[in-house]
């Protein structure tokens, strides 16, 4: 969703076809006018997460330490996302979408993140962690905090660098990893899956990471390959982790 199909003609055919399907489902589904910005849909879900999880806790009477930690992590991430959109908005999210596209974005992606929260708060998932609860909470909090720092730093660097100079970004957060923003997002949502400790979040994240994130990264790299320094940059950097 972050690159246009035209800019990725050199990408593998499967990735392009998957993007075409995703773009139709999230932007044009059912056709008609496009009165909504995609950013409004994303912000409504992410910004509303704190309230949503809090209401779940009230509804199910769940005041366990795990529930409070989840509220703090996922709820605060949503507020950080709003802060990011206010200060350095991603131009890719400014596309206009139909009401059907907005609905499908919730059903097929964004809403699934709330399902992860429901599993824990409702009691469907009653996790027995591999480590003592306090140690597991500390692991999730550390992974989440580092993920937010990486994601926000990478997005901010990209936003402000491209305002001054267009081209391939190879320094800062992009010095060793080509997709640090996606790495940060995966760490963030990975921490929620660890906290819930249920098989369903694994399935949800696998769908989003493979069906959306991986496709976006493949198309992004196809677009960046037009720069002369791309080949050398690709050789010395990792896709998501240094050296890998």
């Amino acid at each position: 969703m972050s690159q246009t199909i035209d800019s990725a003609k050199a990408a593998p055919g499967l990735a392009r076809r998957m993007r075409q399907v995703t773009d139709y489902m999230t932007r044009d589904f059912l056709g008609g006018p496009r009165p909504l910005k995609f950013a409004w849909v994303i912000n409504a879900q992410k910004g509303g997460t704190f309230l949503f999880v809090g209401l779940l806790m009230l509804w199910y009477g769940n005041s366990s330490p795990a529930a409070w930690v989840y509220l703090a992590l996922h709820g605060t991430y949503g507020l950080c996302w709003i802060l990011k959109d206010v200060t350095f908005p991603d131009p890719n999210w400014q596309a206009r979408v139909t009401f059907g596209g907005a609905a499908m974005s919730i059903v097929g992606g964004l809403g699934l993140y709330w399902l992860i929260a429901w599993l824990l708060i409702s009691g469907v998932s009653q996790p027995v962690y591999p480590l003592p609860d306090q140690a597991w909470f500390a692991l999730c909090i550390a992974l989440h905090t580092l993920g937010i720092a990486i994601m926000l730093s990478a997005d901010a660097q990209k936003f402000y660098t491209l305002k001054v100079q267009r081209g391939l970004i190879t320094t800062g957060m992009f010095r060793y990893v080509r997709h640090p923003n996606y790495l940060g997002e995966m760490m963030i949502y990975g921490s929620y899956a660890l906290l819930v400790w249920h098989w369903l979040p694994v399935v949800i994240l696998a769908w989003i990471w493979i069906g959306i994130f991986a496709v976006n990264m493949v198309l992004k790299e196809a677009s960046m390959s037009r720069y002369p320094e791309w080949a050398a940059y690709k050789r010395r950097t990792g896709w998501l982790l240094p050296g890998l």
Side-chain angles (χ1 to χ4, degrees), residues 14-15 18-19 22 113 182 186 202-218 239-240:
L14 177 60
M18 292 179 68
R19 167 62 62 74
T22 300
Y113 292 143
Y182 284 106
M186 294 169 78
V202 176
V203 174
I204 292 172
L205 294 183
W207 149 240
I208 293 174
W209 292 355
I210 296 173
I212 299 177
F213 285 14
V215 170
N216 286 351
M217 287 184 276
V218 168
W239 209 45
L240 286 171

Side-chain angles (χ1 to χ4, degrees), residues 126-208:
Q126 298 186 2
V128 178
Y129 302 124
L131 298 175
D133 287 1
Q134 295 89 337
W136 198 254
F137 295 159
L139 172 65
C140 294
I141 292 169
L143 182 65
H144 185 268
T145 303
L146 185 57
I148 282 188
I150 292 173
M151 183 270 290
L152 290 178
S153 298
D155 280 352
Q157 180 186 357
K158 184 174 101 172
F159 178 82
Y160 290 109
T161 298
L162 294 180
K163 284 179 72 72
V164 177
Q165 179 180 350
R166 308 294 297 182
L168 195 61
I169 303 175
T170 61
T171 61
M173 297 299 297
F174 297 84
R175 182 175 180 181
Y176 301 108
V177 176
R178 298 194 294 278
H179 306 283
N181 46 352
Y182 284 106
L183 172 61
E185 283 277 312
M186 294 169 78
M187 294 171 68
I188 291 167
Y189 283 102
S191 72
Y192 306 151
L194 290 176
L195 192 58
V196 174
W197 202 244
H198 189 275
W199 62 266
L200 187 53
V202 176
V203 174
I204 292 172
L205 294 183
W207 149 240
I208 293 174

Side-chain angles (χ1 to χ4, degrees), residues 26-73:
T26 59
R27 298 186 181 186
D28 301 311
F29 185 65
L30 298 181
R34 297 182 175 187
L36 305 173
K37 281 188 179 182
F38 195 33
W40 300 346
V41 181
I42 299 173
N43 291 350
Q45 187 274 332
K46 292 186 182 289
T49 296
F50 200 103
L51 177 62
F52 177 76
V53 177
L55 290 175
L56 282 179
M57 292 174 64
L58 288 174
W59 180 263
Y60 289 102
N62 189 342
S63 58
S64 66
W68 281 109
V69 171
Y70 193 98
L71 173 66
L73 295 183

Side-chain angles (χ1 to χ4, degrees), residues 110-122:
L110 295 169
L112 297 178
Y113 292 143
W114 279 3
L115 179 57
I116 295 175
W118 175 83
L119 288 170
L120 178 67
I121 308 303
S122 68

Side-chain angles (χ1 to χ4, degrees), residues 94-110:
Q94 308 311 310
R96 294 278 177 169
V97 301
T98 64
F99 285 113
M104 289 305 299
S105 297
I106 298 295
V107 172
L110 295 169

